[in-house]
Amino acid sequence: MSELQQKRVVVIGAGWAGLGATYHLAKQGYDVTLLEAGPYPGGLVAGWQTSAGKSVEAGIHGFWYPYRNIFSLINELEINPFTTWTRSAQYSPAGLEVESPIFQDLPRLPTPLGTFIYPQFQRLPLIDRLSALPLLYSLIDFDNSHDAWQRYDYITARELFKTFGVSARLYKEAFEPMLLVGLFAPGEQCSAAATLGMLYYFILAHQPDFDVVWCRGTVGEKIFRPWVQKIEKLGAKVLAKHRVTDVIVGGNNQVKGVVCGDQVFDADAVIFSVGITGMKKIVANSPSLQNYAEFRNISNLGAIDVLATRLWFDRKINIPRPSNACFGFDNTTGWTFFDLNALHDEYKNQTATVVEVDFYHANQFLHLSDEEIVKIVQGYLATCVPGFKEGKVIDSSVIRLANAVTHFSPGSYQNMLPAKTSLNNVFMSGDWIINRHGSWSQEKAFVTGLEAANLAINYLGTGKKSHILPVETDESHIQMMRNINQNIRYLGKSILPDFWLP
């Protein structure tokens, strides 16, 4: 044990990835220090309280049916942070567009039939929905492999849908709204590879995948606080307000220390678990990391602006569904709104209505005043749910988050990092890191944290690796079509010279 105690791991960034890596390594007896630049662990998903004692957070985060590793963690922590499975709706300026059922409660159909048949579309004609069928080929062809990313990453989602004959109306009223709230950007700014990966994981792989639960309060309070307490009990140090400024590279191409201003933390292994914007800042300040092309190339990656607002109304407003996505109000911006009286314990019995409204790709709103933003938000809400017209806003919170979420832009794959780097003892994690697991968003961040912990264990030579649950296997007809497609592709390569652009 004493020999193990000498193995020091420094983890940088206390979101899902960093907490996941720290927790597993602490369980294996390592001396782990987790450094977080912000005032509390959790990064973007944490949430905090205003001076008036009201809970706010940087946007609401859902937990989808395929989040197998996060749900397993919740069971291990013996906490109960989630709502039951909730139904959602989608609105446009014309009103209600579609309502989704709880898919797991309905007879299970072979994918993707349930996704096509069960949602209740108010306006979208069947002929438009049927125009998506040729797109199924690309979902079969895209298997999350390196080759598949190479083929699809250089084209935009819009080009992809156009190539496969998706109708203009289906694109505008179904696919682009999914992109605006799933990849946080309009189709012409999204990589087709990321689009196919996201659509398959969240919506199409298995009928129940689109089912979602929500946290019954902020993620920081309901999940991260008890998790951090458990991590600290295991002996790990969680240090907020510690912004990493550099690393010290020693011999053998290894990092031997992590610098935070005047402090140096000695390290036998280092795990980076920060978003693209944070990583770019660290590299910009670090002459050591700038010596490596892969770290310099991170500067070519981008991130997207988010606007998170919370409004308190003076009366009870009837909101038909607790979670709602909206499109068509601004050409390049998607937004969601949530009935917090239905979702959060703290607002359950209040007579006033509390609603969270989050905007993605919200560049055009960030420079407006809080008052201007609240006025726009109330107007948009009233278009969807007329009851908001009569309500008076008695309190509000406006949080501007510049460059907050990963932008999976066309061509970005070539600059994203795998978990292993050129530095022998430095490992990467986060939702923008290349891996083959197949998950997305919070689940992917958590999985990459566990993968980085496993690489550190492999490198340092002690401890048991984390058992990472794979995504649910493809349904048999999808597996069969993928095998046929791969065989045809392989045959084509063996007969014809490989001179086409990927």
Side-chain angles (χ1 to χ4, degrees):
M1 191 66 180
S2 58
E3 185 195 335
L4 190 59
Q5 287 300 331
Q6 294 161 9
K7 306 271 173 119
R8 293 157 304 197
V9 183
V10 176
V11 181
I12 302 158
W16 279 105
L19 288 166
T22 302
Y23 181 47
H24 185 70
L25 291 169
K27 282 195 289 186
Q28 302 311 306
Y30 282 95
D31 175 359
V32 194
T33 303
L34 174 58
L35 304 172
E36 165 59 42
Y40 40 78
L44 265 186
V45 289
W48 60 95
Q49 290 205 323
T50 65
S51 52
K54 290 179 169 170
S55 296
V56 293
E57 56 196 317
I60 294 251
H61 301 261
F63 294 80
W64 271 262
Y65 186 86
Y67 280 18
R68 301 169 94 175
N69 290 282
I70 285 181
F71 291 137
S72 172
L73 168 75
I74 298 305
N75 291 337
E76 188 182 327
L77 295 175
E78 298 180 324
I79 55 177
N80 178 27
F82 295 134
T83 63
T84 53
W85 300 103
T86 63
R87 291 186 60 189
S88 52
Q90 194 172 39
Y91 291 88
S92 77
L96 179 66
E97 293 288 344
V98 60
E99 284 185 288
S100 297
I102 310 280
F103 285 95
Q104 60 199 285
D105 292 348
L106 296 166
R108 192 149 176 174
L109 301 174
T111 193
L113 289 178
T115 316
F116 274 96
I117 291 166
Y118 290 137
Q120 296 167 316
F121 289 92
Q122 305 295 309
R123 293 180 186 78
L124 191 61
L126 180 63
I127 189 79
D128 287 284
R129 281 181 271 158
L130 289 172
S131 75
L133 288 174
L135 188 66
L136 283 176
Y137 170 72
S138 63
L139 286 155
I140 299 295
D141 190 44
F142 182 82
D143 59 4
N144 199 43
S145 64
H146 174 70
D147 286 350
W149 273 87
Q150 290 278 65
R151 282 199 299 281
Y152 286 96
D153 189 57
Y154 292 102
I155 60 169
T156 71
R158 196 180 190 290
E159 287 173 291
L160 175 81
F161 293 128
K162 191 174 179 182
T163 302
F164 283 95
V166 166
S167 80
R169 184 164 181 181
L170 181 66
Y171 175 73
K172 210 70 198 153
E173 295 183 16
F175 284 119
E176 184 148 90
M178 284 178 208
L179 292 174
L180 287 168
V181 298
L183 292 180
F184 314 116
E188 65 275 9
Q189 295 180 33
C190 290
S191 146
T195 299
L196 291 169
M198 184 272 296
L199 285 177
Y200 192 68
Y201 178 70
F202 280 122
I203 298 167
L204 294 171
H206 310 92
Q207 184 176 300
D209 285 348
F210 194 55
D211 289 345
V212 64
V213 295
W214 305 90
C215 219
R216 295 184 0 249
T218 66
V219 173
E221 171 203 3
K222 294 286 180 186
I223 302 175
F224 287 172
R225 191 175 300 160
W227 194 12
V228 168
Q229 284 167 358
K230 192 143 188 180
I231 286 169
E232 289 177 331
K233 265 193 191 144
L234 289 163
K237 294 179 281 296
V238 181
L239 305 177
K241 298 182 182 171
H242 277 68
R243 186 175 295 281
V244 170
T245 47
D246 204 354
V247 294
I248 299 164
V249 180
N252 300 334
N253 212 29
Q254 293 169 338
V255 167
K256 61 177 191 177
V258 174
V259 184
C260 286
D262 301 332
Q263 285 177 285
V264 176
F265 295 88
D266 295 333
D268 297 302
V270 174
I271 294 174
F272 280 104
S273 305
V274 292
I276 283 174
T277 304
M279 197 65 212
K280 281 162 82 167
K281 283 179 187 163
I282 291 170
V283 173
N285 284 320
S286 169
S288 314
L289 291 176
Q290 284 169 31
N291 287 325
Y292 296 85
E294 73 216 86
F295 287 107
R296 292 197 301 271
N297 289 345
I298 292 171
S299 298
N300 292 313
L301 298 173
I304 291 166
D305 297 340
V306 174
L307 176 69
T309 69
R310 190 163 288 189
L311 274 54
W312 284 259
F313 285 87
D314 64 346
R315 67 196 65 195
K316 202 86 181 104
I317 296 163
N318 178 37
I319 304 168
R321 298 274 168 253
S323 68
N324 307 276
C326 307
F327 69 91
F329 290 76
D330 299 275
N331 283 337
T332 58
T333 302
W335 61 284
T336 48
F337 70 95
F338 303 92
D339 178 2
L340 296 190
N341 301 79
L343 298 178
H344 282 196
D345 293 350
E346 106 179 67
Y347 304 122
K348 269 247 177 333
N349 303 314
Q350 289 200 3
T351 48
T353 294
V354 187
V355 65
E356 170 84 15
V357 187
D358 298 331
F359 291 82
Y360 316 99
H361 203 265
N363 321 37
Q364 72 273 27
F365 294 132
L366 291 203
H367 302 294
L368 297 176
S369 69
D370 287 6
E371 293 72 25
E372 289 169 314
I373 287 169
V374 168
K375 194 177 172 190
I376 290 169
V377 171
Q378 184 172 5
Y380 283 9
L381 285 171
T383 305
C384 302
V385 177
F388 281 110
K389 274 195 191 79
E390 314 304 321
K392 183 167 180 273
V393 178
I394 51 173
D395 198 2
S396 63
S397 151
V398 175
I399 302 165
R400 297 165 182 79
L401 300 149
N403 298 317
V405 291
T406 305
H407 184 192
F408 292 94
S409 59
S412 57
Y413 178 73
Q414 63 191 321
N415 295 308
M416 289 179 176
L417 294 185
K420 281 179 103 159
T421 70
S422 305
L423 289 154
N424 297 330
N425 64 341
V426 173
F427 310 104
M428 306 299 298
S429 59
D431 76 342
W432 58 282
I433 298 305
I434 295 168
N435 79 339
R436 299 292 162 227
H437 184 259
S439 50
W440 277 86
S441 194
Q442 294 178 105
E443 172 82 352
K444 182 183 174 186
F446 179 50
V447 165
T448 59
L450 298 179
E451 288 175 339
N454 286 350
L455 288 168
I457 286 168
N458 205 43
Y459 172 77
L460 296 168
T462 6
K464 193 175 159 206
K465 290 184 183 177
S466 170
H467 173 61
I468 298 165
L469 299 171
V471 295
E472 191 181 340
T473 52
D474 290 328
E475 291 180 12
S476 52
H477 63 292
I478 300 289
Q479 287 181 32
M480 186 185 72
M481 287 191 278
R482 282 201 162 146
N483 288 338
I484 292 168
N485 181 58
Q486 279 167 354
N487 290 337
I488 291 169
R489 194 172 274 288
Y490 181 74
L491 188 68
K493 273 187 175 173
S494 61
I495 296 168
L496 299 163
D498 192 7
F499 55 64
W500 284 278
L501 268 172

